[in-house]
Amino acid sequence: MRRWSGAGWDLSDAPAPPEEAAVAIVVDGTSQAVLMATPHDLDDLALGFALTEGLIAAVGDVTDAQVVAVAPPAALPGLPALETRLWLRPGLAAGLAERRRSMVGPVGCGLCGVDSIAAALPPVLPVAATYTAAPADIALAMQALAKGQRRWRDTPAIHAAGFWSPEVALVREDVGRHNALDKLVGALAARGIDPGGGIIAMTSRLSVDLVQKTARIGAGLLAGASTPTRLAIDWAEAAGLTLIGRARAGSFDLYTHPQRIRSA
């Protein structure tokens, strides 16, 4: 990792990024949902998910449970991918198919409606954007993001996604960080603005699904106010995306593909 301090580059060890893995919740052999989660205490995750989503009414409805590692996508062979498998007492599985079709993704979900590991971790799309930015441009992008957070000034519990280039500054907000990015992408498309010609900036931490969305639209630079997850870093490296974290007060951490940051 390279850290820009505002005056120059410091090559140092990065703080350990949090782990993130694709975790499928499988009940009686049928995948119910895929969550991007920290791969710890997954037996508790599966049981809690089943209870809070109404798949079961009590712990006694589960007759057996197992956490199993599954094959990761070929593009990222070291990626953690797991299934948490629950088996229910006889008679309970009949209503799961309808429940699966009607399940609504929560506000914080970046994989709403995804019910398989393969769908959550699609092929890596290479980014061909050639736009480059000066280190000072990262601060300008984050400043434009803060300036455009009009709703946040009324209620701080809201995320924002922004696009910045020397010619354009555009911001969209939502209670969900993934929704904010989708709104921004829609606004760029409606205006005919190429996402590869500037910097995508986020108020939130950078998880793998935000990296996937950014790569999918062809943007080459993604900056966030917080630290990215390890999986987000790996995915950005594989996709050719320049990933920047802890972009605050003129400093930032550069994790992948420094060729888009002039002087890096």
Side-chain angles (χ1 to χ4, degrees):
M1 186 202 73
R2 298 167 169 85
R3 179 159 183 79
W4 176 260
S5 65
W9 293 100
D10 176 28
L11 303 183
S12 60
D13 292 335
E19 298 287 350
E20 185 180 21
V23 180
I25 307 294
V26 180
V27 181
D28 282 346
T30 300
S31 182
Q32 297 295 315
V34 175
L35 314 175
M36 299 310 301
T38 303
H40 309 119
D41 303 313
L42 295 182
D43 49 349
D44 292 335
L45 173 65
L47 182 59
F49 179 89
L51 285 166
T52 59
E53 291 293 333
L55 304 182
I56 61 174
V59 175
D61 290 337
V62 177
T63 60
D64 198 5
Q66 188 179 25
V67 178
V68 179
V70 296
L76 291 170
L79 176 75
L82 305 108
E83 288 184 357
T84 58
R85 299 173 181 174
L86 300 178
W87 287 267
L88 308 186
R89 60 181 176 83
L92 288 183
L96 288 180
E98 186 60 34
R99 178 71 179 83
R100 179 167 167 259
R101 284 195 296 270
S102 63
M103 186 179 292
V104 177
V107 165
C109 176
L111 296 169
C112 300
V114 172
D115 61 4
S116 73
I117 295 288
L121 302 170
V124 177
L125 299 178
V127 175
T130 58
Y131 176 85
T132 62
D137 291 340
I138 305 303
L140 293 175
M142 299 305 290
Q143 290 167 11
L145 180 65
K147 185 178 179 180
Q149 290 182 262
R150 297 183 179 87
R151 291 178 177 82
W152 179 86
R153 284 189 277 276
D154 295 327
T155 172
I158 194 166
H159 285 295
F163 174 85
W164 181 91
S165 73
E167 297 80 27
V168 178
L170 193 62
V171 175
R172 290 294 181 267
E173 297 174 273
D174 197 276
V175 290
R177 54 202 170 96
H178 314 91
N179 297 342
L181 181 55
D182 286 344
K183 287 180 179 179
L184 176 68
V185 172
L188 292 172
R191 290 160 177 75
I193 299 171
D194 176 14
I199 301 165
I200 302 291
M202 302 285 303
T203 57
S204 65
R205 68 175 178 84
L206 301 176
S207 53
V208 67
D209 37 330
L210 296 179
V211 170
Q212 290 172 340
K213 286 175 180 286
T214 303
R216 189 172 291 119
I217 63 172
L221 279 155
L222 174 61
S226 188
T227 302
T229 66
R230 186 178 302 279
L231 181 53
I233 296 169
D234 291 344
W235 202 281
E237 180 64 38
L241 176 73
T242 300
L243 187 64
I244 291 169
R246 294 202 300 168
R248 308 169 189 169
S251 65
F252 61 85
D253 295 344
L254 174 59
Y255 289 90
T256 60
H257 295 280
Q259 71 272 14
R260 292 194 183 88
I261 304 297
R262 297 192 289 275
S263 85

